[in-house]
Each structure stands twice: as C-alpha cells, then as structure tokens.
C-alpha cells in the first residue's frame, strides 16, 4: 500500500535527511518508526503528506506514485491520511465537537453527514460527554482523544501518529495506545513515530529503525533498541 523506493531527501542546506529509503508497508499493518532526533522520522512522514518532495526516488500510495501528483490533487491524498501530533494542534476557540466537525467541513461534507458521523467518532474515543468543552478544559489525554477523533472522522486508510504519547503520563499514554490499536484492528494502517521505548517493547510490532537517514533495522516483532 505504501512503498518507498530509493527515496532520497536532501534539504536545500545540503543535509541528507533520508538516504536511499526502501520500505514496503502493507494495508492494515501497524508500524513503529524509531530513531534518535534528526534520524529522519519527520521527513519520512512529511513525504507521505506531501509537505516535502523527495530529491529522488518513488513513493507509491495505493499504487500511485505520489511524487508525480499535481499540487491541486494533494488534498485528495491528504484526505486518506489522518495525522495525530504530540502537541495535539486543536483549534482553541472551537469545542470538541466543532474541532472534529471542522475536519469534515473542510472536505465539503454535508451538515447531515457531520451530524451523523461526529457523535459516532466522539463516542468511539470516549468523549461524548465532553462534546461541548473547549480544549483548555481538557486533560492531555482527552486532547489527544479529540485529535484522534479528528484524524479518523473522514475514514482515512492510514493513520500517522507523530510521537502521540510524548506529552502524556505513562498511564494515559497506555490508554491512547489502546485506542490507536483499536483503530488499527478496524483495518486502518498505522504508522507511529516514537521515542517511547516502553511502548514499543511491550507491543511487539514491526519496528523500522532509522539512523542518519537510513533504515538500519526492520523487524516484524521488534523492540526499541537492540543494544540494551
Ligand atoms: P527526526 O524527525 O527523526 O528528528 P527530521 O526528519 O526532522 O528527523 O530531520 C532529519 C535531518 O534533516 C536533520 O539533520 C534535520 O536537521 C534536517 N532537516 C529537517 N528539516 C529540515 C529543513 N526544513 N531544512 C533543512 N534541514 C532539515
């Protein structure tokens, strides 16, 4: 479903953030992407979202080489990819309901679809009772649940989570991981960049390790770090 073929990304300042990446991620997989700061994790994610373009190589998403996709068609790709960030990125002046509804409004969903689907995802993430709260009235875990609801409300085929537990205490992080796993079990491919060694080690999922822009390890049932 996602294939990186000889992907090189060199930024304008000459930094080679990704140096010949070859990866194959199947539909429905759950993949951790690990590596120290500067290893190239964010660049990998930005390529998928077409926020940056590779210097060379091909990147297939659903059989289409998205490096060839015209700018005006980028929203069609982004619609199929939900994203969750460490810092939540909620709109502070909108309620929980409105934050999630907004993700549907921008793709032109009808009022009827919004009224039907937003309560369903809010219930799925356990936030039905907080629908009318504002982000500053929520705990970190609740904020991340809103951001997950927003990421999945348009039924993406892929959920990208960039350090989703980075701002959460271990217990809340565990709850958020349960939710992400639940989404994965429903068939959504999940790509999660993280530094959370405990989580990676406990889940025994595929681990792709990056170092200095290269894939240095790709284990089907991996751990965070071999050296410890
Ligand atoms: P990670 O997410 O693993 O911390 P990044 O993909 O952010 O890694 O960065 C990989 C390398 O690319 C680093 O050396 C970083 O400094 C560099 N880099 C990232 N973004 C840019 C940019 N916009 N311009 C120049 N260099 C960048």
């Amino acid at each position: 479903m996602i294939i990186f073929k000889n992907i090189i990304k060199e930024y304008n300042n000459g930094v080679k953030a990704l140096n010949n990446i070859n990866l194959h991620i199947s539909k429905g997989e759950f993949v951790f992407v690990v590596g120290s700061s500067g290893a190239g994790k964010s660049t990998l994610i930005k390529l998928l979202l077409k926020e940056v373009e590779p210097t060379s190589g091909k990147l297939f998403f659903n059989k289409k080489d998205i490096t060839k996709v015209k700018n005006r068609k980028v929203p069609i790709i982004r619609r199929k990819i939900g994203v969750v960030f460490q810092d939540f990125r909620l709109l502070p002046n909108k309620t929980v309901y409105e934050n999630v509804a907004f993700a549907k409004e921008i793709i032109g969903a009808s009022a009827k679809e919004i009224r039907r689907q937003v309560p369903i995802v809010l219930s799925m993430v356990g936030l039905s009772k907080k629908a009318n709260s504002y982000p500053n009235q929520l705990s970190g875990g609740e904020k991340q649940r809103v951001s997950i609801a927003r990421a999945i409300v348009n039924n993406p085929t892929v959920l990208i989570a960039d350090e989703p537990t980075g701002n959460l205490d271990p217990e809340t992080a565990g709850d958020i991981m349960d939710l992400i796993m639940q989404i994965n079990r429903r068939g959504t491919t999940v790509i999660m960049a993280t530094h959370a060694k405990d989580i990676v080690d406990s889940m025994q999922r595929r681990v792709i390790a990056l170092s200095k822009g290269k894939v240095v390890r790709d284990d089907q049932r991996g751990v965070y770090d071999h050296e410890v």
Side-chain angles (χ1 to χ4, degrees), residues 206-226:
R206 181 174 175 192
V207 177
I208 295 169
L210 293 179
S211 175
K212 297 180 185 145
K214 287 186 189 272
V215 175
V216 290
R217 190 155 53 86
D218 185 352
D219 293 336
Q220 279 308 315
R221 287 166 73 82
V223 290
Y224 188 84
D225 191 351
H226 272 325

Side-chain angles (χ1 to χ4, degrees), residues 11-13 15-18 35-44 46 52 162 195 210:
Y11 286 106
N12 291 339
N13 57 359
V15 172
K16 244 187 198 171
L18 294 175
S36 53
S37 185
K41 305 180 298 295
S42 304
T43 302
L44 197 83
K46 286 179 182 159
V52 302
D162 193 354
H195 283 113
L210 293 179

